[in-house]
Amino acid sequence: QMRLQESGGGLVQSGGPLRLTCAASGTMFKINRMGWYRQGPGKERELVAEIASGGITNYADSVKDRFTISNANAKNTIALQMNSLKPEDTAIYYCRFRNTWDDRDFWGQGTQVTVSS
């Protein structure tokens, strides 16, 4: 089983930065999509950013030009650099590793990000 652990969440003032990291451990299955999702209060979980094994990235319109997803140091670790944070970015942020060919799909437990106005 692959396990994912997020870190880096917390409380930040509006306009500030925050960096999230997600590290995988356990059985290293072949993965071709790694991403960040979030679920705000009273909202459904939504895609924030995703990076494919070839390096192609995809962002939600609401975070383009503010957030950057990257492979941090190793293929089993990803990061999300969040700049110019807004109160509406407040949510629990989850990382997700999946393989679109065999439907393997792993989620972290989430980390809280709170942006104060």
Side-chain angles (χ1 to χ4, degrees):
Q1 184 76 350
M2 178 179 278
R3 294 179 296 275
L4 304 180
Q5 181 64 57
E6 303 96 340
S7 61
L11 174 65
V12 63
Q13 288 189 336
S14 181
L18 205 60
R19 182 178 176 86
L20 305 181
T21 302
C22 174
S25 62
T27 303
M28 292 293 120
F29 294 108
K30 185 174 177 59
I31 298 296
N32 62 9
R33 298 285 189 277
M34 297 174 285
W36 290 94
Y37 289 70
R38 68 185 181 187
Q39 187 166 14
K43 298 180 180 180
E44 294 188 353
R45 193 173 297 189
E46 62 177 357
L47 172 70
V48 176
E50 189 171 58
I51 185 166
S53 54
I56 295 173
T57 56
N58 180 39
Y59 294 92
D61 288 343
S62 59
V63 306
K64 280 181 181 177
D65 300 324
R66 298 190 297 124
F67 291 10
T68 303
I69 188 171
S70 62
N71 290 114
N73 300 322
K75 291 183 178 180
N76 63 335
T77 303
I78 60 170
L80 185 69
Q81 178 65 42
M82 304 184 291
N83 297 325
S84 303
L85 281 161
K86 304 175 181 179
E88 50 263 44
D89 294 318
T90 294
I92 299 173
Y93 283 70
Y94 301 87
C95 65
R96 180 188 190 190
F97 283 23
R98 64 193 177 110
N99 188 316
T100 56
W101 291 100
D102 62 16
D103 294 327
R104 285 197 170 101
D105 195 350
F106 304 96
W107 290 85
Q109 292 189 330
T111 185
Q112 176 72 46
V113 172
T114 303
V115 184
S116 63
S117 57

